[in-house]
Amino acid sequence: MIFFLQLLVSGLAVGSVYGLVALGFVLIFKATDVFNFAQGDLLAVGAYLMFVALAVFNLPVALAIIATVVAAGILGAMLQRVVFKPLQGQPLLTVVMATIALSLIIQGALVIIFGSQDLSFPRTLPSSIVAIGALRLSMLDLIIMGCSVVCVSAFALFFRYTSLGLQMRATAEHPEAAALSGINSDRVFTVAFSIGTVTAALGGIFLGSLQVVSPTLSQIGLLAFPAVVVGGLTSIPGSVIGGLLIGVLQQLSAGYFDGAVASVVVYSGLLLVLLLRPQGLLGRPSVQRH
Amino acid sequence: MAAIDAPATALLSVSNIEVAYGRSAPALRGVSLRLREGEVVSLLGANGAGKTTLIRSISGLLKLHSAKVLSGQVNLDGARIDGVAAHHIARKGLSQVPEGRMIFANLTVAEHLQIGALSAPVEKHEMSRRLVLDLFPALRPRIDDQAGWLSGGEQQMVAIGRALMASPRLMLLDEVSLGLAPIITRSIFEQLDRYRRETGCAMLVVEQNAKLALDFCDRAYVLDRGRILLEGSAADLKADPRVQDLYLGEAPGEGSAYTFRDAKRYRRRTRWLK
């Protein structure tokens, strides 16, 4: 039972990172209709930015996180301006291909700059062990879960209650009608890409703290996609629940069996959800009365 | 028919514009139009006449549809607006009720009104909201419902309400009657007329239902294949046998069924009128 609970907590910690990355993905998709396949690579970029802030600029952990978040926000805005703005109005497939190209460019650039060896953060978030009875929990896992909950709640409130959040939802639904209502879609898209990149970078910081910093983080970040699909493409709570489910399934099956079984279990679960509920667990079919 | 002399101080003036989509032949050729403060002007014409293109030229949506103004200019309150982005034009006091309503299906009615108010000063929001719900009381019980679940008539009220929330000086109404029952259409136009009388808002109305449009407006332009064919006061145009024949179906001696021969005659006539 103790083993199960420890696996469960570590699954929730990893799952909350997937949820965070999935949340960024959903934010971009909700606001711009862009299915960003480079989201996992932006996670890896976040981890490397954190590494640079700690190892090269020697910043304390808190400052390094702030610097990474700011740099990621700027990077997201630049990507929107340079790559996605010129693609506005192009067919879905063209935009998807552009995100895949971007993903490969980022992966190549990271290897060129940092090499393909594993790196570790020289200083990291507190990782002491907290004992609750016989249950031993990592402080890092708890911090990551706490941060993820705060981020997700903040973004959900942002979307629901702020004027900019409303503008983002409106632009995603009907860019033409949004423009006619005085909404600057360029600004909305830029904010969406910035926030989406920041959430991916936060995921990179957490995953880099839990594991090592290497180009393979891009592939691990890809586990956010099943989380997005399971949760429902446009649902913020859905993306988080999807992330937690994927994380827990992965850790339990890896703990009781091995890593290969974990992949089979995760993707079988994805397939099952898609067969039973194609719009995802919390996704809604598009609302339109005919 | 004598053209109405355009006033020197037009709220909206379109001067001799030529508009083309991509590299295709121009959809508008040398179109000019003027609209005074508080005036209601209709644009009549068959499908493909260029009505929606003209509306897009005014509201700044040409770029989104891969079209551009090749020559001529559009001025709103003396400032040139052709080539200006739609969201900037919306903030200059121009609202549009687009063809097909373009509502945000997953947003509530209240959120639509909130979005419409983005272009207006904050102090006007509450007053505009009261006015919209007063004009369209059917929206009151649906205020927290997602707009995608509303009936066609209610969705049109939401689209109009969203445009009114901006407290516009000029409204562009593109095919408001499309797909609606006559009784709903009549009620919507009555409320628009009331709004116009209460606020002095100018309106440019695009309608295929010529009778409805001519009953509602002060003046009208008839567009055909990208050119202005006729213009004049609503009363003059209603009395004009050519308009009766071509758009109102009231020419004396005309058979009840519209035949292929009628269509050919229509094309010959409109060529001659140019």
Side-chain angles (χ1 to χ4, degrees):
Chain A
M1 185 62 185
I2 295 295
F3 182 57
F4 171 79
L5 286 175
Q6 289 193 180
L7 285 177
L8 184 67
V9 172
S10 84
L12 288 173
V14 177
S16 65
V17 176
Y18 296 152
L20 202 55
V21 181
L23 167 72
F25 181 92
V26 169
L27 284 177
I28 291 175
F29 185 72
K30 268 176 89 107
T32 66
D33 252 359
V34 171
F35 202 92
N36 184 18
F37 277 100
Q39 195 71 6
D41 307 282
L42 294 174
L43 175 145
V45 168
Y48 279 105
L49 283 173
M50 179 73 174
F51 176 80
V52 170
L54 290 169
V56 179
F57 293 102
N58 236 346
L59 296 177
V61 173
L63 259 185
I65 292 176
I66 293 171
T68 302
V69 163
V70 171
I74 294 169
L75 174 68
M78 281 170 55
L79 285 177
Q80 197 279 326
R81 293 277 157 170
V82 176
V83 180
F84 295 105
K85 189 178 172 193
L87 289 173
Q88 259 174 45
Q90 296 300 320
L92 179 70
L93 192 61
T94 308
V95 181
V96 165
M97 290 308 292
T99 69
I100 292 173
L102 183 64
S103 159
L104 296 172
I105 290 169
I106 293 173
Q107 283 175 32
L110 290 178
V111 173
I112 291 168
I113 298 169
F114 298 99
S116 52
Q117 75 277 22
D118 294 347
L119 303 169
S120 297
F121 293 151
R123 289 174 300 287
T124 183
L125 297 162
S127 54
S128 52
I129 299 296
V130 181
I132 304 172
L135 189 64
R136 294 167 69 79
L137 303 175
S138 156
M139 179 61 100
L140 188 58
D141 284 351
L142 297 177
I143 289 175
I144 287 172
M145 277 191 281
C147 289
S148 300
V149 167
V150 169
C151 290
V152 168
S153 311
F155 286 126
L157 293 174
F158 166 78
F159 251 94
R160 179 73 185 83
Y161 293 109
T162 68
S163 172
L164 188 54
L166 181 61
Q167 290 179 42
M168 288 169 84
R169 285 190 284 148
T171 307
E173 274 206 46
H174 222 308
E176 196 169 332
L180 288 175
S181 303
I183 295 174
N184 182 347
S185 56
D186 273 347
R187 178 167 156 259
V188 164
F189 292 162
T190 305
V191 171
F193 269 93
S194 281
I195 296 176
T197 310
V198 164
T199 60
L202 283 170
I205 294 171
F206 296 148
L207 222 49
S209 304
L210 283 171
Q211 302 172 8
V212 288
V213 180
S214 76
T216 54
L217 279 179
S218 299
Q219 274 96 58
I220 299 171
L222 283 181
L223 277 169
F225 288 108
V228 169
V229 177
V230 166
L233 266 178
T234 55
S235 166
I236 289 179
S239 65
V240 178
I241 291 170
L244 293 175
L245 271 177
I246 299 289
V248 168
L249 267 179
Q250 190 192 31
Q251 291 297 309
L252 286 178
S253 42
Y256 285 109
F257 306 102
D258 63 38
V261 176
S263 287
V264 174
V265 171
V266 166
Y267 287 99
S268 300
L270 170 68
L271 200 58
L272 193 66
V273 170
L274 284 180
L275 288 173
L276 297 176
R277 210 177 145 76
Q279 72 270 32
L281 293 178
L282 297 192
R284 278 182 310 207
S286 184
V287 176
Q288 188 65 54
R289 179 169 157 163
H290 295 287
Chain B
M1 176 178 307
I4 301 286
D5 285 335
T9 54
L11 175 61
L12 173 76
S13 76
V14 177
S15 311
N16 208 23
I17 59 163
E18 190 164 298
V19 176
Y21 289 88
R23 292 179 183 178
S24 60
L28 291 180
R29 288 172 288 183
V31 170
S32 295
L33 173 152
R34 287 190 150 224
L35 193 145
R36 283 171 297 206
E37 197 94 45
E39 191 180 26
V40 176
V41 170
S42 288
L43 273 178
L44 308 178
N47 279 337
K51 304 185 298 293
T52 297
T53 303
L54 182 50
I55 289 286
R56 285 176 183 157
S57 311
I58 297 165
S59 60
L61 286 179
L62 285 180
K63 200 178 164 194
L64 263 178
H65 293 271
S66 309
K68 63 178 178 182
V69 176
L70 301 176
S71 62
Q73 56 178 271
V74 182
N75 290 276
L76 180 67
D77 221 5
R80 198 164 169 179
I81 56 166
D82 49 287
V84 175
H87 67 272
H88 283 306
I89 295 176
R91 289 175 186 261
K92 288 175 187 285
L94 186 147
S95 279
Q96 183 177 339
V97 180
E99 184 181 2
R101 300 161 204 151
M102 291 192 198
I103 56 144
F104 308 113
N106 289 296
L107 267 53
T108 64
V109 174
E111 287 173 330
H112 276 81
L113 300 186
Q114 220 178 315
I115 284 172
L118 288 171
S119 307
V122 178
E123 60 271 17
K124 286 192 173 179
H125 290 189
E126 192 43 45
M127 194 185 71
S128 302
R129 187 184 152 101
R130 271 205 302 272
L131 180 60
V132 168
L133 294 178
D134 195 30
L135 289 172
F136 303 116
L139 295 182
R140 275 183 201 279
R142 315 296 306 264
I143 197 83
D144 292 319
D145 291 348
Q146 281 177 291
W149 294 118
L150 304 183
S151 69
E154 288 167 335
Q155 287 185 357
Q156 190 60 275
M157 291 173 200
V158 171
I160 294 171
R162 180 177 62 190
L164 296 183
M165 285 299 292
S167 305
R169 290 175 66 200
L170 170 61
M171 269 182 91
L172 310 180
L173 297 145
D174 196 355
E175 305 281 9
V176 167
S177 68
L178 202 70
L180 299 182
I183 189 167
I184 304 283
T185 304
R186 203 160 42 244
S187 153
I188 285 177
F189 271 88
E190 277 169 14
Q191 296 312 316
L192 285 171
D193 189 48
R194 184 181 146 200
Y195 180 79
R196 174 221 181 169
R197 278 186 278 107
E198 285 179 12
T199 64
C201 175
M203 296 180 183
L204 180 59
V205 182
V206 168
E207 264 297 331
Q208 288 208 31
N209 183 338
K211 183 174 184 326
L212 181 73
L214 289 174
D215 283 345
F216 182 62
C217 69
D218 304 314
R219 288 193 301 123
Y221 292 82
V222 178
L223 263 176
D224 186 78
R225 280 166 280 173
R227 292 183 198 276
I228 298 285
L229 204 61
L230 295 168
E231 62 174 291
S233 72
D236 284 348
L237 284 177
K238 270 196 274 190
D240 189 307
R242 291 167 297 180
V243 173
Q244 289 182 354
D245 186 12
L246 298 173
Y247 294 99
L248 300 175
E250 291 170 358
E254 197 71 19
S256 58
Y258 193 72
T259 62
F260 180 67
R261 182 176 290 176
D262 294 328
K264 280 177 74 178
R265 189 164 140 263
Y266 166 81
R267 292 178 71 84
R268 271 204 306 277
R269 256 176 179 277
T270 52
R271 266 203 301 274
W272 173 76
L273 282 166
K274 278 178 204 155

